[in-house]
Amino acid sequence: MPPDFAAPVQVWVGGQLFQADRTLLVEHCGFFRGLFRSGMREARAAEVRLGVLSASGFLTTLQVLRGEQPALADAEALLQAVECAAFLQAPALARFLEHILTSDNCALLCDAAAAFGLLDVFHSAALFIRDGARELAAELVLPEARAYVAALRPSSYVALSAHTPAPGFLEDASRTMCYLDEEEDAWRTLASLPLEASTMLAGVATLGNKLYIVGGVRGAHKEVVELGFCYDPDGGTWREFPSPHQPRYDVALAGFDGRLYAIGGEFQRTPMSSVERYDPASECWSFVADLPQPAAGVPCAQACGRLFVCLWRPADTTAVVEYAARADAWLPVAELRRPQSYGHCMVAHRDSLYVVRNGPSDDFLHCAIDCLNLVTGQWTALPGQFVNSKGALFTAVVRGDIVYTVNRMFTLLYAIEGGTWRLLREKAGFPRPGSLQTFFLRLPPSRLGPVASTTPEL
């Protein structure tokens, strides 16, 4: 008689008894899937005994499979979670471990994942270490982990100006992507944009170390560019890919959980609430749940493996919502009410979101930053002000514990410490005017582009 997958199962682990959802275990754990479908006597038993795992590690597994976000505060809890992810063949738990990587636990997770054969966690931890402070690599115990980290390419800070396609045969020399050579303190040219690509009001995002450009406009009537463009830094090549079903500009684009999300935007000067998801494997777009309201140019960020978006509402209110992929729904997270409470940039670090707001109308070049702690739900205002640049809105991205911001005068690096951003160092400013999109890409080590030329400000 085949097992009843709808029936609960009792699991003994480390001397403790757990009541578990058999269907959930079969769906998410290769071990239980193989056990319950094996036809063996154990497959029909009401109890399963796992003598090799810890009770706390199995509890963490169940919490993650149910969609919870357990806090793994100490080394023992992390090691037990790695062991369970490997033994139970639980990809969801492995992804959870990737999402909670920090400078405090990356060395431990890298060593443990290498020892237990969790290759995705090992690779993600190694990349985190490669991009972090040199002290992180020194904390590794396993020689093979140290060698693997040393062989990886670090990520580079890349910037892209807002440009429309050049008319006819004319090529605009400024229609290029540039990256920051931090050792030489210079911005260098990485690649030219395809002639038909537009970055004016386009969605720009990275996914799998590739750059994607969606939408964008040309001409006074904001004609939407129909094709999407993807840049692969390994080959230095561009390719075209389909645009979303709904033409859109001033769209937010996010690379999240292996897919692209085109969020909101405008069409024919009308804001939209529709959201589409692109699967690079099938090269197909599909509609997912609409935003709670029409919105264009929304800031978005990812924290703890979750996707968040900022929406602006009347009465000087900024609302943060989260896309819940399992439920295909946008869920309210928090609201912030204060004058000029419209965030135009949002970044994440650990379990916090940082929303950057324009200053008051008489002091537009200064920004204020508010921090939302996702665990407590509390807002705090960061001390000090942060500088916009003439003609370009504040832009920021986070690598490890460092925030990269840039304007025409400076590239500023801030260390996130104790609830604030401490200025760490200054680098060369970006030599182009206008609004910028910034991101990180891992570039081939042999590539050393020419120093980016300075273009006049209009």
Side-chain angles (χ1 to χ4, degrees), residues 123 126-127 130 143-154 442-443 445:
H123 182 67
L127 290 175
R130 185 67 179 88
E144 57 267 34
R146 290 189 179 186
Y148 187 76
V149 168
L152 292 172
R153 291 175 285 174
R442 298 185 187 277
L443 308 179

Side-chain angles (χ1 to χ4, degrees), residues 108-398:
L108 174 66
L109 282 174
C110 190
D111 277 329
F116 282 98
L118 278 184
L119 298 184
D120 288 345
V121 179
F122 174 55
H123 182 67
S124 294
L127 290 175
F128 191 100
I129 293 169
R130 185 67 179 88
D131 283 342
R134 294 181 179 178
E135 295 78 21
L136 296 179
E139 296 176 13
L140 292 168
V141 175
L142 298 180
E144 57 267 34
R146 290 189 179 186
Y148 187 76
V149 168
L152 292 172
R153 291 175 285 174
S155 60
S156 296
Y157 186 44
V158 183
L160 188 59
S161 298
H163 287 293
T164 58
F169 61 87
L170 296 177
E171 282 199 47
D172 185 345
S174 67
R175 279 176 46 84
T176 54
M177 284 193 296
C178 302
Y179 70 95
L180 180 62
D181 182 340
E182 295 194 45
E183 290 188 3
E184 298 296 329
D185 193 18
W187 284 92
R188 297 184 179 274
T189 298
L190 175 59
S192 297
L193 290 170
L195 282 177
E196 293 302 313
S198 172
T199 53
M200 180 69 72
L201 298 179
V204 177
T206 58
L207 180 66
N209 200 44
K210 293 179 181 177
L211 172 70
Y212 292 85
I213 301 175
V214 167
V217 298
R218 69 180 81 185
H221 299 290
K222 293 186 176 180
E223 176 190 351
V224 182
V225 175
E226 295 181 357
L227 284 171
F229 298 88
C230 175
Y231 177 73
D232 183 352
D234 288 330
T237 56
W238 289 94
R239 70 171 179 85
E240 298 175 355
F241 72 100
S243 285
H245 298 292
Q246 168 63 60
R248 56 185 82 216
Y249 59 86
D250 204 5
V251 55
L253 192 68
F256 173 68
D257 201 20
R259 294 172 175 82
L260 290 176
Y261 286 78
I263 303 169
E266 290 187 32
F267 182 63
Q268 297 180 343
R269 305 183 187 276
T270 302
M272 299 178 297
S273 58
S274 67
V275 180
E276 295 183 56
R277 178 169 60 200
Y278 177 74
D279 183 352
S282 65
E283 297 192 333
C284 291
W285 289 92
S286 58
F287 284 94
V288 295
D290 286 359
L291 289 170
Q293 67 186 59
V298 295
C300 53
Q302 297 171 47
C304 307
R306 301 157 67 189
L307 177 62
F308 299 90
V309 163
C310 254
L311 300 173
W312 306 303
R313 291 179 177 162
D316 292 324
T317 299
T318 293
V320 177
V321 297
E322 173 188 359
Y323 178 67
R326 286 188 179 184
D328 186 26
W330 292 92
L331 306 178
V333 176
E335 289 189 349
L336 174 67
R337 292 184 176 90
R338 63 176 50 178
Q340 287 85 37
S341 184
Y342 51 97
H344 62 80
C345 178
M346 181 167 67
V347 294
H349 176 257
R350 299 196 179 187
D351 54 10
S352 293
L353 298 175
Y354 295 87
V355 179
V356 183
R357 298 179 292 107
N358 279 324
S361 56
D362 59 348
D363 193 15
F364 179 78
L365 297 185
H366 286 89
C367 296
I369 300 181
D370 293 285
C371 174
L372 171 63
N373 185 285
L374 294 168
V375 176
T376 65
Q378 298 298 309
W379 289 95
T380 54
L382 267 66
Q385 290 184 314
F386 301 83
V387 181
N388 247 343
S389 65
K390 184 180 177 182
L393 294 176
F394 187 95
T395 179
V397 285
V398 176

